Amino acid sequence: MKIQHITTFLIFTLFSCSTSEPQLISVSDIYQIEVPGDMSPKNDLNEEASLAYANLFKEKYLMIIHEEKYEFMEVMKIMKNEVLEEFTKIIAQRYEESFSSVANVSDLSFNGLIGKKIEISGNFEGIPLVWHTVLIEGEDYLYQICFWTLKNREKHMEQLFNSAKTFNEL
C-alpha cells in the first residue's frame, strides 16, 4: 500500500511539473526572461552564468551569461559597429573546438533586438549534446542565452528557443 501511495505521488508530481506555467525571471534589473515552468534554478552549471535553470529529469538546460560590452570592446580593440560580429566569431570558434564540430551561425531578431544564433551538436566531454546559443548586443551588455539537451531529446530545443525569444533587456 505504501508503495502504491509513493508511486501515485511521484506520477502526480511529474505530470504537474510538466504543465506548469512559465516563470518570469528578472536578473539585477538588467534583463528578464520567461523560463519553462518545469525548470528550476541550477547554480552550478557555469560560474559565469547570471541565470541558470535546468530540468534534470528531462535533461534540458538554459543559462545566460552577460558581460560588459565596453570592456569587451576595449580588450578586443574593436569599434562599436564590429562588436556583435567579433563576439559571435569568438563564441562560435570556442564551440567548434569544444564539440569538434562545425557551428551553424544565423541572424535573428526579436523584441526589437538584433542577434545571432549559433547551433552546434556533437560530443562534449563524451556526452552527445545539441547546443544552441543566442547572442545579443544590448545597450551596455553582451548576452549569451545558452540552451542545450541530449541529442536524443532534441524535442526540447523548440521550447527552449521560445523561452530565449522572451528575453528583454530592462
Side-chain angles (χ1 to χ4, degrees):
M1 187 69 165
K2 273 186 175 180
I3 292 176
Q4 185 179 23
H5 287 302
I6 291 171
T7 304
T8 302
F9 173 76
L10 288 174
I11 290 171
F12 176 75
T13 302
L14 288 174
F15 283 115
S16 64
C17 287
S18 66
T19 60
S20 54
E21 293 295 315
Q23 313 163 59
L24 182 62
I25 309 296
S26 294
V27 175
S28 303
D29 293 327
I30 297 172
Y31 66 85
Q32 66 183 19
I33 189 170
E34 284 186 12
V35 175
D38 64 347
M39 298 178 81
S40 55
K42 184 82 171 116
N43 296 325
D44 60 352
L45 293 179
N46 184 313
E47 65 185 33
E48 295 178 24
S50 53
L51 177 137
Y53 275 71
N55 180 320
L56 300 177
F57 179 71
K58 293 182 177 178
E59 295 282 353
K60 62 180 183 178
Y61 304 88
L62 175 95
M63 75 175 173
I64 298 177
I65 299 171
H66 71 278
E67 59 187 273
E68 297 275 343
K69 178 167 76 172
Y70 296 101
E71 186 176 305
F72 177 80
M73 289 170 58
E74 189 175 298
V75 168
M76 299 306 295
K77 307 223 183 305
I78 57 175
M79 304 301 292
K80 189 171 182 168
N81 63 342
E82 302 170 327
V83 173
L84 187 58
E85 289 300 323
E86 189 64 27
F87 189 53
T88 302
K89 186 172 123 184
I90 291 167
I91 300 299
Q93 184 177 1
R94 285 185 194 164
Y95 289 157
E96 289 178 347
E97 291 170 3
S98 296
F99 285 89
S100 297
S101 185
V102 177
N104 179 33
V105 179
S106 58
D107 296 325
L108 61 86
S109 65
F110 56 86
N111 296 332
L113 300 168
I114 304 297
K116 298 283 188 177
K117 184 177 182 191
I118 301 172
E119 300 177 26
I120 195 161
S121 62
N123 289 326
F124 182 77
E125 297 180 357
I127 301 169
L129 296 177
V130 176
W131 186 291
H132 294 186
T133 297
V134 172
L135 302 175
I136 296 172
E137 179 182 354
E139 187 66 34
D140 297 319
Y141 296 98
L142 296 170
Y143 302 95
Q144 298 176 57
I145 306 169
C146 308
F147 47 101
W148 68 97
T149 190
L150 297 175
K151 268 191 180 176
N152 65 353
R153 297 190 181 192
E154 281 187 79
K155 64 184 179 190
H156 299 307
M157 295 306 280
E158 183 178 352
Q159 179 193 40
L160 293 169
F161 181 53
N162 288 335
S163 180
K165 290 191 293 188
T166 68
F167 176 89
N168 263 320
E169 192 171 43
L170 300 176

